[in-house]
Amino acid sequence: MRVIRVSDYEELSLRSADLIASLIILKPDCVLGLATGGTPLGTYRDLIRLYREGRIDFSQVSSVNLDEYRGLKPDDPHSYRYFMDQNLFQNINIDPAHTFVPDGCESDPASACSKYDAIIDRFPLIDLQLLGLGGDGHIGFNEPSDCFIRRTHCVTLKEETIRANSRFFQDKAEVPHQAYTMGIADIMKASRILMIVSGSSKAAILRQVLEGPVTPAVPASVLHLHRNCTVIADEDALQCCDRLCKDSQFILP
Ligand code: F6R
């Protein structure tokens, strides 16, 4: 696992956008695994800027998102499909037919999950999977558990996740309690993983991820087992990792 220490959120966004842009330039028909939430907003803003400057072309790119709230329609402003359309897809030249998000309207979880697995299986691989880090260590919506769940599944969100995500809703009571999420095996199958972590609210959990054991109780800890995982984290997020090297880049064994 390679950790890149950056000064702040702006630098984090720039570095992650540059990394994704480099992949698009080298492999124009790449498959991107994408995340929602607050952390990738700056990355998406910088990717849109690079696109507008004519430096990247999304016309052959495909994307597969990590998760979606169960029960929300694509045009619901709180759905992750809507988030992706607003914050990235409508601002670049990606073919909407090549962008995939789990179907939150599919009320039968078994059907929703098997359909999304079939979509993931259409791609030989995800070239780069972008991840944020949940306050309880979740990636996608793979919540702390006693086992890693391999494929797309319906998850009941933890109280901490509902509380954290209530900032995107008028009222906490509006936050859906369930979601469909890509599983850990499909995340781990990506050729390259990029996790971005910003802010002091993530400092304690980032320390557990970077310094603690691999355990499904801290889902992101599984990334230690990936052969090509980069974590970009800012000073605030790394403030509890005092045992780790202070260099701007370091490799964890
Ligand atoms: C969302 C997702 C989640 C978020 C995580 C962090 O698609 O996959 O795992 O990345 O909840 O969210 P923020 O960035 O809002 O702190």
Side-chain angles (χ1 to χ4, degrees):
M1 183 185 273
R2 177 166 164 246
V3 183
I4 300 178
R5 179 191 298 270
V6 294
S7 55
D8 56 19
Y9 180 72
E10 288 308 309
E11 193 185 349
L12 173 145
S13 302
L14 208 58
R15 293 288 289 264
S16 66
D18 278 349
L19 220 146
I20 296 168
S22 305
L23 171 65
I24 296 169
I25 290 165
L26 293 173
K27 189 174 182 196
D29 60 349
C30 63
V31 182
L32 299 178
L34 297 178
T36 59
T39 317
L41 280 172
T43 302
Y44 296 156
R45 177 204 61 205
D46 288 340
L47 283 172
I48 293 166
R49 180 182 47 75
L50 290 169
Y51 163 70
R52 288 188 177 147
E53 289 169 2
R55 292 162 66 187
I56 43 174
D57 170 19
F58 287 86
S59 60
Q60 296 178 63
V61 171
S62 300
S63 72
V64 189
N65 259 78
L66 284 165
D67 41 22
E68 178 61 283
Y69 287 118
R70 182 181 179 205
L72 295 195
K73 296 192 182 122
D75 60 356
D76 186 307
H78 296 115
S79 76
Y80 284 171
R81 160 56 73 181
Y82 188 90
F83 174 102
M84 290 308 301
D85 287 346
Q86 294 294 312
N87 292 299
L88 185 63
F89 300 151
Q90 284 176 4
N91 303 295
I92 56 176
N93 66 335
I94 197 165
D95 180 344
H98 294 165
T99 67
F100 300 94
V101 179
D103 180 3
C105 290
E106 173 59 76
S107 56
D108 173 25
S111 166
C113 296
S114 64
K115 281 183 191 157
Y116 206 58
D117 283 343
I119 289 170
I120 294 168
D121 290 344
R122 266 195 239 158
F123 297 106
L125 49 80
I126 291 175
D127 292 287
L128 182 145
Q129 177 64 59
L130 180 66
L131 297 174
L133 175 64
D136 61 3
H138 68 239
I139 47 175
F141 271 140
N142 290 273
E143 293 280 35
S145 162
D146 52 7
C147 64
F148 291 117
I149 302 180
R150 297 187 66 249
R151 303 223 66 192
T152 308
H153 54 286
C154 180
V155 63
T156 298
L157 302 176
K158 301 275 185 201
E159 181 55 32
E160 179 173 347
T161 303
I162 292 172
R163 200 178 332 108
N165 288 6
S166 66
R167 70 191 197 277
F168 297 111
F169 292 76
Q170 297 276 75
D171 196 300
K172 183 166 163 259
E174 286 176 27
V175 185
H177 284 206
Q178 289 194 313
Y180 298 129
T181 182
M182 195 186 278
I184 292 289
D186 286 314
I187 292 174
M188 291 294 281
K189 264 187 359 207
S191 301
R192 175 168 207 163
I193 292 181
L194 172 60
M195 183 162 78
I196 49 177
V197 192
S198 172
S200 53
S201 66
K202 300 287 173 67
I205 191 66
L206 184 60
R207 179 183 186 169
Q208 282 191 58
V209 171
L210 297 183
E211 299 186 7
V214 174
T215 164
V218 182
S221 65
V222 75
L223 300 176
H224 283 286
L225 302 179
H226 196 275
R227 64 198 175 287
N228 192 351
C229 175
T230 300
V231 177
I232 305 182
D234 63 19
E235 290 287 353
D236 286 346
L238 282 167
Q239 66 185 256
C240 295
C241 299
D242 36 22
R243 290 203 342 255
L244 293 177
C245 176
K246 292 285 180 209
D247 291 348
S248 62
Q249 282 195 31
F250 49 96
I251 310 281
L252 290 173

